[in-house]
Structures are given as structure tokens and as C-alpha cells.
Amino acid sequence: MSVKYSQDHEWVKADGDVCTIGISAHAAEQLGDVVFVELPDTGKTFAKGDDMAVVESVKAASDVYAPISGEIVEVNSAIVDEPAKVNEDPQGAAWFVKIKMSNASELDALMDEAAYKDFAGQS
Amino acid sequence: MADADTNTLKRTPLYDLHVSLGAKMVEFAGYEMPVQYPAGVLKEHLHTREKAGLFDVSHMGQAYLTTTEAPLGSDEAHEKIAAAIETLVPAEIKKLKKGAMRYTTLLSEDGGVLDDLMITRLYRDDLQGMLLLVVNAATKAQDFALIEKRLEGVATLEIAEKRSLIAIQGPKAAAVVNRLLPGALDQPFMSVRPHYWPASGDGAYIVVSRCGYTGEDGFEISVPDSHAVLLAKALLAAPEVEPVGLGARDSLRLEAGLCLYGHDLTPEISPVEGNIAFAIGKRRREEGGFPGADRIQKELKEGPKRLRVGLKPEGRAPAREGAEIQSTDGKTIGAVTSGGFGPTAGGPVAMGYVEAGFEKTGIRVNLIVRGKPLPAVVADMPFVPHNYYRG
């Protein structure tokens, strides 16, 4: 499946019922140099829109919201150890968490690449 | 983020240069200022500590204060202007040498800090009786109005509307400035020297101060608006120099343990509480004669009820302005006034106010970040050693 985006600048890539989630390249650029990442524990469940993680740059702290509901099945501790990775490869190696979806239909409400580009250009 | 109407914002003479360098411009103290350039805050910060960074600080207020009680150019004139300004600030100005500068505070009647500022005794013999004042951008209008009103009849204040201020900071700053303005290498720390620049032709009168706001060696150069772009470009042409925005200016001063007015110092806080008692002259501690002297002298003798201290969070999460400080048994003892990630310190650093009894280095506290206690220790400042020129 192709990558989808939330209005809070998270990206979501579904593989079966597990989604890999991170922050968009646009968000990483806006944040500037990332110096701190806090990720949830595996096993925790979130409803869509809940505060799920924290990312801080030299400028400010930002919440990362769950773009879909479900249970955390894996977290990327590499970005906790090396937050700068979030700037280097935000939509690749620097993914944040993997969530087992509880409601796959929530994916339909997310934007595709073209729609997100439009959206990010305006925000 | 404040979305102020950009039409009402002021621009410095370097605005177009910032934009051409790719700066991201933001509102700050009524001006459109560069918060960062394409290199980003982290690299700009590290570059300043390693080589030299150029900062536009033209939004700050510059003014000349001149005595009307004695003819300019005499020692008596200096004594008069020093006596006048000493009624508003607690620094030793009378004994300042020609061309020397002091960091001090403008005080309220309650001994609170209305602003922090630099006061310079001009270097030239014919300008004795004049002081150069450099104050914060956000407070300059009220500072100047207060000074003018309080010193009416003994001094006149001339705001230097048409002068820009360019800071160059970092271990390579002196070498760079010395190429344009010979003599800068040996200029004493916290002093000013006048120059004409460019040296050939119709040079502009520029005033070079060896001081700054990063903890590094460096200069602040007061230059007529007409020559500001030319000077900035000449400095940027040096291979050691990169432009640096307000973002890195803030992380640099935080690591250096320096106060940001309006955050770490406010009208409620005295210079003793603010841990800047060095801004109070030795003679003046005894004599008083400045606003709020009763409170300040009492705090000097008995210790203040609260004190600004350095704070080092354990782990990597930064604690930012407003975070509550608690004792390890959960009692509120103060708040963080500045905090963030220190790129050179390699981790989070902060400063804030704690109640008396909690100010000793090494005391363990908790900073409340996102509702959770973040363990931290009271730490010595600066977080990164100062690298000032000591001759």
C-alpha cells in the first residue's frame, strides 16, 4: 500500500493490519534539528488523535498523535538513541512506531501523497 | 506562534541580505528577524563555538546619553554623567575607564529589573561626558522614555535611530575583525574603540565593542545604516564566518548562563535574585543611591528569598520555560525560566528560580515536564566555559 498522511503531519504505511508510522519530511524540516524523541511502550493502545510520542527540536517540543487507532507492537529505539536520524531519513529508517490497527477503515480518512503535498504547502 | 501583521513589523537594514541568504524570518520584538538560515540552529550554534558567527542585532536600542552640567571633553563631564546614570543603575560608572563598558540593570523603585543593558564610557577625549547605552529591543522605547524623564535637566538622550548593530562571535572573530579593523586583536574585553571604515575614502564612524551574548570572544559593531550591508558582507566574506539567527543566539546564551530579559529577568526580580549581583558595583553596595537600594542591600546581606540557578536534567528530555521545579519530596520550589537542548553541552540545559535552601550545586530536584517528574540537579553556570579574551 502507498503511504498516507494525517493532518498532523504523520505518515502511515499499512502492511496487512500493521501500520508503520513516522513524521513527514515536511514536518521534520519544519521542526529543524531533532534532539529528543520519546516513544510509547509496546503493548500500549491509542485511539486516533491521542498523544502517542514526543519529538523535540532545538526550537520546540511537539506531540506526535496516533493517526489511527490500535496497539503498539514495535518502536524504533534507534531514533531515541540518535534523534538526528529523524532529520536524515524521516520517511524511511527513522520511523517511530508500528501499530496493529483496530479499525482499518480509518485509513480512508487519511490523505494520499498528492493531497498531503497540497495540504502541507498551505499550512 | 504569534501571527502578527507583517505590515506593522519593522525591518533592519540587513533584511534583504538575510532573505538572500535563505533566512527564515520571524517576528521578534516588533521586527522581522532571521531565526535561522539554511544550515539550521544546531549547525549555526556549533559553527559559532568553533569559528565565528555573524548576528544582526540591529533591533536592539542604542542611545547616547550626554551631560548638560559640564562642557564635553572633561573629567568633570564624565563625573556628572556617571552620577546621573548611577541614580538609575547599580553599577560603578564613575570609576569606569575611558572606553570601558559595564553590564548592569535599569531598576524600578522596588529594585526589580526593568531591563539589562550595557553602559560604555566613550573612548575619545573629546567625548567625555557621553555614555553609550545598548538596551533590549522589546524594552527600548520604555527604557529610553524612563531615562529621559528621570534625567531631565541633567542629561540629554539621543537615540541612535540610524545605526545598525552587527555582532560577530566565536574564537575566530578577533582575527576576522582585525583584518578589517586593525587593532581589534588586542582590544581589551569589555571595551570599545572607534574606527573609520572603510579606511580609505569616506569611511563611516563605527564603534567596536568587545563583548557579546554567546560566552565566546567577539564584538558588537555599531555602524551607520548606510554602511551596515557593506560591513556585514565584508565580514561574511571571511571563510570563517557564517550567518547565525536568533535560534542559535538563544541556545548559545543559554549554555553561557546569560539571562534573556523578559524570561530570566523581569520587573519582579532583583539583580541579587537574578544571580547577577556582579552588575552591582562594590562602592555602590555600601553607598546605595540607586532605585530599590533598600531591598537590594538587604538581599545582599541576608541572601535573597529565591535565586536563579542552572539546572541539568538527567537523560535527554529538555525542560522548557514554565516547567515547575519540585523538591524530591514533591513540594513546588520554583520554575524554569529558560531551557532547551545545548548543542555544545550535548544535552538538555536550563535555568530557573528556586527558593532559598535549594540553590546549592548538586541538589537534586524534579522538573515537571508533560506532567511527569524529570530528575535534574542544580548545576553551575555557565554550562559551557566562557571563552572571553583576557589579553
Side-chain angles (χ1 to χ4, degrees):
Chain A
M1 195 202 107
S2 58
V3 179
K4 294 200 133 192
Y5 295 87
S6 75
Q7 296 204 347
D8 299 310
H9 305 281
E10 290 95 19
W11 58 264
V12 179
K13 195 170 184 204
D15 180 8
D17 62 351
V18 173
C19 291
T20 306
I21 290 162
I23 66 168
S24 72
H26 171 78
E29 199 197 315
Q30 290 296 310
L31 275 170
D33 305 294
V34 173
V35 296
F36 174 75
V37 177
E38 188 177 274
L39 297 176
D41 295 329
T42 53
K44 242 185 139 180
T45 58
F46 292 97
K48 179 179 173 164
D50 284 352
D51 297 357
M52 177 183 73
V54 176
V55 56
E56 294 210 25
S57 72
V58 282
K59 285 182 264 178
S62 301
D63 288 321
V64 179
Y65 304 103
I68 47 164
S69 307
E71 182 190 338
I72 304 290
V73 292
E74 197 178 341
V75 299
N76 186 5
S77 55
I79 61 170
V80 174
D81 299 335
E82 269 188 83
K85 283 186 193 287
V86 176
N87 295 107
E88 288 160 19
D89 193 8
Q91 299 201 196
W95 56 276
F96 276 50
V97 297
K98 292 186 183 179
I99 287 188
K100 190 171 175 211
M101 283 188 284
S102 56
N103 180 2
S105 69
E106 285 175 354
L107 286 174
D108 300 338
L110 298 173
M111 291 176 272
D112 64 15
E113 183 95 42
Y116 177 69
K117 269 198 175 141
D118 253 17
F119 171 79
Q122 285 162 5
S123 72
Chain B
M1 203 163 286
D3 254 327
D5 183 354
T6 46
N7 291 326
T8 66
L9 295 178
K10 287 180 266 188
R11 293 175 174 180
T12 75
L14 300 186
Y15 176 86
D16 289 340
L17 179 62
H18 299 314
V19 171
S20 74
L21 292 167
K24 185 176 167 195
M25 305 299 289
V26 299
E27 188 274 338
F28 183 80
Y31 285 80
E32 275 185 273
M33 298 300 289
V35 67
Q36 65 174 84
Y37 297 86
V41 176
L42 197 68
K43 288 201 179 83
E44 291 168 29
H45 176 113
L46 295 171
H47 184 88
T48 304
R49 292 251 185 267
E50 197 182 316
K51 290 180 177 167
L54 181 130
F55 306 72
D56 180 8
V57 288
S58 303
H59 55 314
M60 296 184 75
Q62 305 178 63
Y64 289 99
L65 187 69
T66 306
T67 182
T68 55
E69 297 185 299
L72 267 191
S74 62
D75 285 345
E76 189 200 354
H78 173 70
E79 275 168 35
K80 291 287 188 191
I81 198 64
I85 196 71
E86 283 189 1
T87 63
L88 301 178
V89 305
E92 169 66 76
I93 303 297
K94 280 183 189 162
K95 289 184 191 158
L96 261 189
K97 293 193 168 70
K98 287 177 190 174
M101 62 199 299
R102 279 272 190 286
Y103 170 78
T104 191
T105 58
L106 199 59
L107 294 170
S108 73
E109 292 305 324
D110 304 325
V113 178
L114 297 175
D115 198 6
D116 58 347
L117 75 163
M118 288 285 192
I119 298 181
T120 302
R121 177 178 181 178
L122 294 185
Y123 184 69
R124 280 164 48 174
D125 287 341
D126 60 324
L127 297 181
Q128 296 308 304
M130 278 177 86
L131 301 171
L132 171 63
L133 313 180
V134 178
V135 306
N136 282 299
T139 44
K140 65 183 177 184
Q142 68 200 54
D143 289 0
F144 291 154
L146 175 86
I147 293 166
E148 211 160 24
K149 187 168 160 232
R150 295 286 297 276
L151 301 184
E152 196 178 356
V154 299
T156 56
L157 188 80
E158 183 204 343
I159 300 171
E161 302 273 15
K162 299 282 180 204
R163 293 189 79 84
S164 297
L165 196 62
I166 296 171
I168 176 161
Q169 299 280 300
K172 303 290 184 194
V176 170
V177 173
N178 198 66
R179 274 178 237 147
L180 299 181
L181 306 164
L185 266 181
D186 306 322
Q187 183 178 328
F189 179 55
M190 292 293 276
S191 78
V192 299
R193 294 291 182 269
H195 288 264
Y196 284 91
W197 185 84
S200 60
D202 294 331
Y205 178 65
I206 68 177
V207 182
V208 179
S209 307
R210 195 162 202 167
C211 65
Y213 192 48
T214 60
E216 297 298 322
D217 185 20
F219 300 83
E220 288 181 0
I221 305 176
S222 171
V223 55
D225 286 352
S226 56
H227 286 64
V229 171
L230 196 65
L231 180 64
K233 283 184 172 170
L235 291 166
L236 285 168
E240 301 96 323
V241 181
E242 295 292 340
V244 179
L246 292 179
R249 185 168 159 82
D250 191 53
S251 55
L252 287 159
R253 70 92 197 166
L254 175 61
E255 281 185 343
L258 301 171
C259 294
L260 175 61
Y261 189 77
H263 300 257
D264 309 305
L265 295 173
T266 69
E268 287 75 44
I269 293 165
S270 78
V272 183
E273 294 174 326
N275 212 345
I276 50 167
F278 63 85
I280 307 169
K282 207 179 259 179
R283 167 179 59 87
R284 312 224 46 215
R285 290 171 188 229
E286 301 300 317
E287 288 182 12
F290 46 83
D294 289 354
R295 169 189 178 183
I296 288 170
Q297 286 173 315
K298 184 164 180 269
E299 287 178 350
L300 283 169
K301 206 182 288 170
E302 298 171 9
K305 291 195 175 69
R306 57 182 170 179
L307 192 70
R308 183 177 63 96
V309 296
L311 297 160
K312 253 195 146 147
E314 289 171 5
R316 297 198 49 94
R320 301 197 185 255
E321 181 176 3
E324 186 181 325
I325 307 173
Q326 290 185 353
S327 59
T328 47
D329 58 4
K331 189 167 84 75
T332 300
I333 55 166
V336 170
T337 51
S338 281
F341 180 80
T344 306
V349 289
M351 56 175 84
Y353 284 82
V354 294
E355 282 174 16
F358 291 93
E359 71 276 18
K360 285 214 172 61
T361 298
I363 285 184
R364 303 181 65 81
V365 296
N366 287 316
L367 310 179
I368 308 304
V369 175
R370 290 180 284 273
K372 284 180 281 186
L374 177 71
V377 289
V378 174
D380 288 329
M381 289 188 287
F383 297 106
V384 171
H386 289 162
N387 187 25
Y388 298 137
Y389 176 70
R390 295 295 181 191

